[in-house]
Amino acid sequence: MKRIGIGVVAVIAGLGVGGAGAWGVSHYLPQFAGGAAHGKADTKVETAFVPAGEILAPLVFADGRLSGYVTFECQLEVPKDASDEVGAKLPLLLNAINLRTYRSPLASGPDGLVPGLAAFRKVVMDAALEVYGKDVVRSVAVTRASPA
């Protein structure tokens, strides 16, 4: 009977310690408890699309040779309150894109073709990270791409 009593007490003590630990984590570290458990709703930020205009970029092979040129248009999804700042720094973004396209082998598809729009999107996102900083540009939408 003594063994059964010790086992029951151990189970009850374990549940108490585990429950207290869970309460402590949810109370002092709410990001691990989902955040919305204490009435803190996730805030949605309104975004706007800022057109970057037509961009002329060189298509470069992996060995550095020039394959040709391509024009593409893209729009940047940014928080609505940052759209004016993003629009003001567009020349810096276009310069950063131009400098990256010479170093990026965009003509890596068969016969020097572009393998897909993901390559343009990655170049623009990397340039936007450099120009605007982290968490300003949420996504890039490439709306048109054609050989020049």
Side-chain angles (χ1 to χ4, degrees), residues 19-38:
W23 176 83
V25 167
S26 69
H27 184 55
Y28 293 108
L29 301 171
Q31 70 268 19
F32 293 114
H38 296 284

Side-chain angles (χ1 to χ4, degrees), residues 79-121:
K80 200 166 228 175
D81 58 346
S83 61
D84 292 337
E85 175 192 349
V86 170
K89 290 185 178 180
L90 272 178
L92 296 174
L93 176 70
L94 296 176
N95 181 49
I97 290 171
N98 193 26
L99 292 175
R100 284 190 184 333
T101 53
Y102 278 106
R103 293 179 287 183
S104 301
L106 293 177
S108 60
D111 295 332
L113 299 176
V114 179
L117 296 179
F120 294 121
R121 195 173 299 117

